[in-house]
Amino acid sequence: MDADDPGRRADAAPQSERVTVNLTGKAVQALQRLQEQTGYNKTDCINRALIIAGEIEGMSRDPGAFYWRETPDSDLMLVRFV
């Protein structure tokens, strides 16, 4: 197949897309905290959050699970997203 073939374009990385979102008050606060913690701008914080959320969602699907440990000595906790 040729690289210009429309059938091959589905395999390529998608182009960037501009979207408008309405954030809840809690999400606005989380975004502000994340910006302060990382030094990233809003766009970078949202992009990273979506990528991480997708990875976590994929890991937590049956039969998988996602576990968190607050400190190296603490017990593992099962994390569930609803």
Side-chain angles (χ1 to χ4, degrees), residues 29-70:
Q29 290 175 334
L31 180 57
Q32 289 170 342
R33 280 193 310 274
L34 192 56
Q35 283 184 271
E36 291 167 3
Q37 292 169 346
T38 63
Y40 294 137
N41 63 37
K42 289 178 183 179
T43 298
D44 290 339
C45 286
I46 293 168
N47 281 326
R48 290 171 54 91
L50 290 171
I51 291 166
I52 292 167
E55 291 296 320
I56 291 171
E57 187 66 32
M59 285 187 275
S60 65
R61 294 280 179 195
D62 289 333
F66 183 75
Y67 291 88
W68 179 265
R69 185 179 301 207
E70 289 188 53

Side-chain angles (χ1 to χ4, degrees), residues 4-23:
D4 293 328
D5 182 4
R8 296 270 302 159
R9 290 188 189 146
D11 295 338
Q15 297 297 314
S16 61
E17 181 177 343
R18 180 179 294 268
V19 297
T20 301
V21 297
N22 294 317
L23 301 176

